[in-house]
Amino acid sequence: MRHGFKAQAERLSAEARLELGLDPAAPLDPSRYARHIGVVVLDFDDLEISAECKRRLLQTDSESWSGMTLKEGGVTAIIINPSHSRGRRSSTLMHELAHIILKHVPARVDVSTNGMLLLSDYSEDAEAEADWLAAAMLLPRDVLMRSRRRGETITNIAMAFGTSDQLCEWRIRMTGVDVQLKRAARR
């Protein structure tokens, strides 16, 4: 990850809340933020695809995809797999938005028969940045620090911010919040 990106992610997270008129410690609704930056979030049930295709995407192969970004006629849209948990859907949407915010260029672009662009296959660096930014947008480091200082559990923080426990635990570990609090307690 490029030097300074983690700090940039925290700034982008704070700016997003400011733009939406939210408290810096408030949860950020990815759908609301998508609308704010002009991205359409499509409802999977509104897609005009066969029942067999829907069954395959939501049951047979539901773990093969989480979300995808489409571009057509200047409109950017995202579809999220509705069979996944609320926390996972939130993380996926924010991950797709992170690619857009960071202006990542996909390594491969597929074009459907009707000319719709399906953006896919970002570089490993771009995927790592999107993962980090998405997590920072949903769970800012300052919020995690305050929450853990008050003794809040991972489950309670995840529930309050609409994420999975796994994402919250990963974010706390990767930002070193608990380590920093333990060191401060020893002094």
Side-chain angles (χ1 to χ4, degrees):
M1 196 169 297
R2 62 188 151 90
H3 180 72
F5 179 74
K6 292 177 180 178
Q8 178 189 3
E10 295 298 330
R11 286 192 300 275
L12 288 170
S13 176
E15 287 171 14
R17 284 169 173 75
L18 184 64
E19 289 169 13
L20 293 174
L22 298 173
D23 182 90
L28 179 64
D29 176 355
S31 295
R32 181 177 173 201
Y33 188 64
R35 285 190 301 275
H36 176 71
I37 63 172
V39 175
V40 176
V41 180
L42 298 173
D43 188 329
F44 184 85
D45 290 331
D46 292 341
L47 298 178
E48 295 179 11
I49 56 177
S50 70
E52 173 56 25
C53 188
K54 284 185 179 182
R55 188 191 61 73
R56 190 175 320 130
L57 288 170
L58 299 180
Q59 295 173 9
T60 309
D61 297 325
S62 69
E63 291 303 313
S64 68
W65 72 288
S66 296
M68 67 178 82
T69 299
L70 316 163
K71 283 192 176 184
E72 183 178 14
V75 176
T76 302
I78 296 174
I79 301 171
I80 301 298
N81 187 333
S83 70
H84 292 166
S85 70
R86 176 178 170 249
R88 185 168 172 187
R89 291 192 313 266
S90 177
S91 178
T92 299
L93 178 53
M94 195 55 84
H95 177 93
E96 295 297 317
L97 292 171
H99 282 302
I100 295 166
I101 295 165
L102 296 169
K103 299 180 176 32
H104 285 158
V105 177
R108 193 186 90 213
V109 176
D110 297 322
V111 180
S112 70
T113 54
N114 63 358
M116 186 179 302
L117 299 179
L118 306 169
L119 309 180
S120 60
D121 283 347
Y122 290 96
S123 70
E124 282 185 34
D125 288 344
E127 289 295 343
E129 284 185 354
D131 283 343
W132 190 271
L133 178 57
M137 296 287 279
L138 293 170
L139 296 163
R141 189 180 191 284
D142 290 346
V143 168
L144 294 175
M145 183 65 84
R146 269 186 252 138
S147 298
R148 295 299 274 179
R149 191 176 286 132
R150 289 191 302 253
E152 292 186 39
T153 66
I154 287 172
T155 298
N156 286 347
I157 297 168
M159 191 177 304
F161 284 82
T163 70
S164 66
D165 286 5
Q166 294 83 1
L167 179 65
C168 187
E169 184 176 0
W170 178 83
R171 182 82 174 129
I172 287 171
R173 184 169 27 88
M174 296 305 287
T175 56
V177 165
D178 281 354
V179 171
Q180 185 178 345
L181 289 173
K182 284 179 186 170
R183 286 182 185 152
R186 280 189 240 143
R187 292 183 197 150

